[in-house]
């Protein structure tokens, strides 16, 4: 199966292994399937599969350049003991009106692990398939969770180096400690004086800097990406939509073929796009509901068809969603424009030069058919954490609460009774300060480790193992650079 750029022509398409190594297309676009696989997915069979078997099914559809054995080895390595639940992705019974798909049972306690335990496996095998004998330098902009998850996944993986850029002051105390305590000889982590959007924009610039790329190649290295801009990160995420559907069938919540709605807490639009791809290849999804925090550019977009990035940026208590330019939306635009890359280029140019673009009525209609959207204020997030806790003694993190709130609003507004799955993206222990305050109405004594303890005292939910040792590890010194200093930092650290 081949992949093409959203901004380029089919004649420049790559196979899946090449696309995984490339990460971002040289023209600034994102790789998308030239044609989606047209599987005759046997839903009855899905309902019987384990998580690993589901992942195998999905990966083999999208990544058919890999051998069967390569995919099996990758799946075994990615979804093993590093997950604290043998199911990998447990799905809760109905709690306060919804099912929660728990994606946070991996080593860094957020959903990024599902894809970032897999990506290094795909990357090292892609290197073998394509005879690239350069070191792969993975540039990662993070809003908090991708950084740790990519460092954890790529730690000491031969032939790779990871450089992470996170917004200084823009991540939670636990997220910061996680990033600064990752062990591995091939990892660099740097704070930038700016927000996620600035980090991501500069990473894209560096990627598209042809001269810099050539210099790097001469020294035996090349760039790739661990952001959801990389198709190797997106495709493993398609699997959990299938798995959860199968689980709901097994549990008797739905009958085979009946639709399910998913509400997805959204930042860079990677997670929800994976749901859209699942639907495209035949999963009966009714609506995908895009949930934002106070940075609600996507809510406005789905409502009006205009994407306007000229707006205030807020630091919220769901920091992994503090994003104004959602990269993966470009893949959806490409799809609803019927693969018209000229249209995508026109819209993206508008975003660059006028800070906004408006899609055509036809594109808008196609979006309306499959999506809904809403957002949660900081107060709404806290009251939702409390509502769900009081109703079901179920503790959710602030990102999950965004989705949970928006789903609840959607159900009340539309009277749509389709079973609802909330995509639960992080462990509440990653954001103990906000969760404790929401449940008890009191502030924690001290952020970080002490707050984890206080939250445990209230909920009694088991503290995940990686969290217990986290604060015993001496963190590395924080390095801070300006966005315009990122390139220099990379030059000095790639040797
Ligand atoms: C990254 C992240 C999100 C947003 O996911 P996108 O794929 O960027 O839309 C939501 N919640 C958590 C906890 C995250 O880490």
């Amino acid at each position: 199966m081949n992949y093409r750029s959203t901004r380029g022509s089919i004649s420049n398409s790559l196979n899946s292994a090449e696309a995984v190594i490339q990460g971002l297309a040289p023209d600034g676009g994102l790789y998308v399937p030239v044609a989606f696989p047209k599987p005759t997915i046997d839903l009855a069979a899905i309902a019987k599969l384990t998580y690993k078997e589901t992942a195998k099914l999905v990966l083999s559809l999208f990544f058919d350049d890999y051998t069967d054995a390569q995919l099996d080895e990758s799946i075994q390595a990615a979804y093993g003991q590093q997950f604290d639940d043998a199911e990998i992705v447990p799905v809760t019974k109905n709690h306060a009106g919804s099912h929660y798909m728990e994606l946070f049972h991996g080593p860094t306690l957020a959903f990024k692990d599902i894809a970032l335990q897999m990506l290094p496996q795909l990357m090292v095998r892609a290197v073998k398939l394509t005879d690239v004998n350069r070191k792969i330098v993975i540039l990662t902009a993070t809003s908090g969770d991708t950084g740790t998850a990519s460092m954890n996944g790529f730690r000491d993986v031969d032939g790779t180096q990871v450089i992470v850029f996170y917004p200084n002051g823009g991540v939670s105390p636990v997220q910061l400690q996680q990033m600064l305590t990752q062990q591995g000889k091939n990892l660099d982590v740097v704070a930038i004086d700016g927000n996620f959007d600035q980090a991501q924009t500069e990473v894209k610039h560096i990627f598209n800097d042809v001269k810099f790329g050539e210099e790097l190649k001469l020294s035996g290295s090349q760039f790739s990406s661990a952001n959801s801009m990389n198709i190797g990160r997106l495709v493993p995420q398609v699997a959990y939509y299938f798995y959860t559907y199968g689980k709901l069938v097994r549990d008797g919540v739905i009958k085979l073929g009946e639709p399910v709605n998913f509400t997805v807490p959204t930042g860079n639009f990677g997670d929800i796009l994976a749901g859209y791809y699942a639907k495209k290849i035949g999963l009966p999804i009714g609506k995908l509901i895009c949930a934002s925090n106070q940075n609600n550019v996507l809510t406005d977009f789905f409502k009006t068809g205009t994407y306007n990035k000229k707006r205030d940026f807020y630091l919220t208590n769901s920091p992994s969603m503090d994003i104004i330019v959602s990269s993966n939306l470009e893949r959806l635009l490409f799809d609803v424009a019927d693969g018209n890359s000229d249209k995508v280029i026109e819209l993206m140019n508008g975003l660059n030069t006028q800070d906004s673009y408006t899609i055509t009525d036809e594109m808008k209609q196609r979006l309306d058919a499959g999506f809904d959207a809403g957002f949660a204020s900081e107060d709404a997030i806290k009251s939702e954490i409390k509502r769900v806790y009081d109703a079901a003694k179920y503790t959710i993190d602030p990102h999950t609460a965004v989705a949970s709130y928006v789903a609840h609003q959607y159900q009340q507004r539309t009277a749509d009774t389709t079973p609802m799955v909330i995509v639960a993206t992080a462990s509440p222990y990653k954001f103990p300060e906000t969760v404790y305050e929401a449940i008890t109405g009191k502030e924690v004594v001290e952020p970080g480790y002490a707050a984890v303890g206080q939250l445990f005292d209230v909920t009694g939910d088991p503290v995940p193992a990686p969290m217990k040792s986290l604060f015993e590890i001496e963190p590395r010194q924080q390095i801070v650079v300006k966005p315009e200093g990122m390139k220099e930092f990379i030059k000095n650290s790639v040797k």
Side-chain angles (χ1 to χ4, degrees):
M1 195 167 128
N2 279 350
Y3 291 82
R4 59 173 292 188
S5 167
T6 47
R7 301 187 199 177
S9 84
I10 295 191
S11 58
N12 292 330
S13 65
L14 304 178
N15 72 29
S16 54
E18 291 164 337
V20 167
I21 294 184
Q22 276 285 322
L24 259 177
D27 56 25
L30 305 180
Y31 287 112
V32 288
V34 166
F36 274 83
K38 284 220 170 46
T40 40
I41 289 189
D42 178 2
L43 288 176
I46 297 265
K48 299 200 181 76
L49 301 184
T50 64
Y51 192 79
K52 287 183 194 175
E53 289 163 345
T54 313
K56 175 72 184 297
L57 183 83
V58 169
L59 289 175
S60 54
L61 288 173
F62 283 92
F63 293 154
D64 57 2
D65 302 292
Y66 289 81
T67 66
D68 233 35
Q70 284 181 316
L71 291 182
D72 285 335
E73 290 158 19
S74 299
I75 288 166
Q76 290 305 335
Y79 303 134
Q81 294 300 318
Q82 67 272 51
F83 282 77
D84 73 4
D85 192 303
E87 262 208 87
I88 309 299
V89 174
V91 182
T92 68
K93 295 260 172 338
N94 194 335
H95 284 326
S98 302
H99 303 266
Y100 291 78
M101 161 163 95
E102 294 188 352
L103 300 178
F104 51 78
H105 289 273
T108 76
L109 314 180
F111 93 92
K112 306 295 198 292
D113 285 327
I114 308 270
L116 282 164
Q117 291 295 307
M118 176 59 72
L119 182 65
Q121 304 298 330
L122 296 172
M123 191 92 73
V124 291
R125 287 171 181 84
V127 167
K128 288 188 191 131
L129 285 168
T130 55
D131 285 330
V132 169
N133 38 32
R134 286 187 279 267
K135 177 168 80 172
I136 309 290
V137 178
I138 293 144
L139 299 185
T140 302
T142 183
S143 57
D145 290 325
T146 290
T148 309
S150 54
M151 288 191 278
N152 187 293
F154 281 99
R155 172 178 61 204
D156 294 329
V157 172
D158 280 345
T160 68
Q161 177 180 355
V162 175
I163 307 177
V164 169
F165 299 97
Y166 65 93
N168 195 13
V171 300
S172 83
V174 170
Q175 287 177 317
L176 182 64
Q177 178 75 5
Q178 281 184 313
M179 276 194 280
L180 297 180
T181 55
Q182 292 300 310
Q183 313 288 315
K185 292 188 288 293
N186 60 338
L187 312 175
D188 284 295
V189 54
V190 190
I192 70 147
D193 264 330
N195 59 34
F196 170 80
D197 289 315
Q198 289 166 289
Q200 176 162 260
T201 302
E202 190 55 25
V203 162
K204 283 187 179 175
H205 278 159
I206 292 169
F207 254 101
N208 298 330
D209 183 335
V210 177
K211 190 162 156 273
F212 193 23
E214 289 304 321
E215 279 171 36
L216 208 67
K217 281 190 176 161
L218 287 176
S219 72
S221 300
Q222 80 178 65
F223 288 133
S224 188
S225 164
N227 284 100
S228 49
M229 300 185 284
N230 192 321
I231 192 75
R233 210 181 112 187
L234 206 57
V235 167
Q237 298 180 176
V238 174
Y240 46 71
Y241 288 91
F242 277 91
Y243 177 74
T244 298
Y245 188 89
K247 171 81 170 133
L248 294 182
V249 172
R250 276 205 296 286
D251 288 353
V253 176
I254 47 166
K255 292 202 188 62
L256 274 179
E258 285 178 355
V260 171
N261 292 339
F262 287 87
T263 304
V264 191
T266 295
N268 220 8
F269 212 76
D271 204 358
I272 192 168
L273 188 81
Y276 181 73
Y277 280 10
K279 186 174 179 178
K280 271 193 83 86
I281 60 171
L283 192 67
I285 295 180
K287 289 272 181 189
L288 286 161
I289 297 150
C290 175
S292 300
N293 66 21
Q294 203 183 351
N295 294 296
N296 58 359
V297 58
L298 285 165
T299 316
D300 290 345
F301 170 69
F302 279 104
K303 206 180 298 166
T304 64
T306 296
Y307 196 100
N308 185 350
K309 73 172 182 184
K310 200 161 181 188
R311 54 176 63 227
D312 290 336
F313 172 82
Y314 300 101
L315 285 173
T316 73
N317 288 325
S318 47
S320 306
M321 297 159 63
D322 289 345
I323 294 177
I324 289 184
V325 182
S326 293
S327 286
N328 276 296
L329 189 63
E330 180 168 340
R331 287 187 164 114
L332 180 62
L333 296 176
F334 178 86
D335 203 73
V336 295
D338 277 328
N340 180 346
S341 52
D342 290 336
K343 185 73 200 171
V344 173
I345 292 170
E346 177 199 315
L347 298 175
M348 292 302 132
N349 281 345
L351 194 62
N352 272 339
T353 56
Q354 278 121 52
D355 290 331
S356 82
Y357 61 77
T358 301
I359 59 174
T360 64
D361 290 344
E362 206 190 331
M363 289 168 78
K364 173 82 167 52
Q365 271 166 22
R366 293 180 62 179
L367 288 186
D368 289 346
F371 289 87
D372 206 293
F375 76 98
S377 68
E378 294 288 272
D379 282 346
I381 292 171
K382 285 197 185 135
S383 61
E384 181 67 6
I385 293 173
K386 179 140 177 69
R387 182 185 78 85
V388 175
Y389 186 76
D390 287 347
K393 286 286 167 291
Y394 182 63
T395 319
I396 55 178
D397 99 288
H399 303 77
T400 307
V402 168
S404 192
Y405 175 81
V406 169
H408 197 58
Q409 296 289 107
Y410 169 83
Q411 287 170 321
Q412 292 185 332
R413 171 163 51 87
T414 61
D416 181 348
T417 55
T418 307
M420 178 69 81
V421 176
I422 310 291
V423 180
T425 48
S427 160
Y429 283 115
K430 238 180 152 163
F431 307 92
E433 303 83 7
T434 308
V435 178
Y436 178 85
E437 200 184 318
I439 293 176
T440 65
K442 291 185 284 214
E443 284 196 15
V444 295
V445 177
E446 201 188 312
Y449 190 63
V452 171
Q454 279 192 283
L455 182 58
F456 172 76
D457 288 343
V458 170
T459 65
D461 297 336
V463 177
M467 187 62 79
K468 289 183 186 147
S469 52
L470 180 65
F471 286 88
E472 289 161 14
I473 311 167
E474 190 59 34
R476 24 175 130 191
Q477 192 77 26
Q478 244 198 125
I479 302 168
V480 186
V481 304
K482 295 211 171 352
E484 53 278 19
M486 285 166 59
K487 189 167 159 183
E488 191 62 29
F489 181 90
I490 296 166
K491 264 191 189 156
N492 293 332
S493 83
V494 178
K495 285 173 211 106

